[in-house]
Amino acid sequence: MAEHPHATLVRKGYEAFSRGDMDALRALLAMDATQHVPGTHPLAGDHKGQDAIIDFYRRLAEETNGTMRVDLSSVCADGRGHVVGVSRLTAERQGKRLDQTGCIVFRIVGDKVTDLDECVEDIDHSNDFWS
């Protein structure tokens, strides 16, 4: 059985992120897409528009000196424009280490991602790591 096209789109996004291919990521995002990042740390909040999302990804790499890794473990699609990507995130920053499971709930309209809602396993640890 073939994978749903929305699941394939999300997999392509994770692959592009892992390669640091921001042009490929930009091509998957709607112009007015929004990424919602939970927490109270300086990178938390809503990143609205392709430029803001790409800048957020640049800051993640910068803040972790390129140590951030996201390993996609599963993708679930509902066939109605929602996809959940479950992954393991590891990174090092200022003597701290982050190693936790998280997910992003994607909203897809047509062939573009319009919303990315992140969820993290341990929000307190995430806040501490990014603060």
Side-chain angles (χ1 to χ4, degrees):
M1 184 180 299
E3 182 174 62
H4 191 277
H6 292 163
T8 302
L9 181 88
V10 166
R11 282 187 197 281
K12 286 181 183 177
Y14 276 92
E15 290 166 4
F17 182 89
S18 293
R19 289 190 315 269
D21 188 345
M22 296 302 115
D23 290 335
L25 280 170
R26 187 180 295 277
L28 302 175
L29 296 168
M31 291 294 293
D32 62 347
T34 302
Q35 182 151 358
H36 309 278
V37 180
T40 57
H41 56 83
L43 297 176
D46 295 337
H47 304 275
K48 185 161 181 59
Q50 286 180 351
D51 291 340
I53 293 170
I54 298 301
D55 186 58
F56 168 63
Y57 297 158
R58 179 197 58 76
R59 290 183 63 200
L60 293 174
E62 189 176 271
E63 290 286 329
T64 63
N65 292 320
T67 64
M68 184 172 173
R69 300 287 176 263
V70 178
D71 296 312
L72 183 64
S73 59
S74 63
V75 176
C76 301
D78 71 357
R80 297 178 298 114
H82 301 97
V83 176
V84 177
V86 179
S87 62
R88 179 173 172 219
L89 172 86
T90 58
E92 294 179 12
R93 179 178 181 271
Q94 299 178 356
K96 300 175 189 176
R97 179 152 171 76
L98 184 66
D99 183 350
Q100 68 176 335
T101 300
C103 70
I104 299 178
V105 180
F106 296 86
R107 173 74 175 133
I108 300 169
V109 176
D111 62 350
K112 300 287 184 185
V113 174
T114 61
D115 281 286
L116 303 90
D117 288 299
E118 287 188 40
C119 298
V120 296
E121 181 177 42
D122 184 340
I123 198 160
D124 292 331
H125 183 63
S126 184
N127 282 332
D128 179 62
F129 180 81
W130 293 111
S131 292

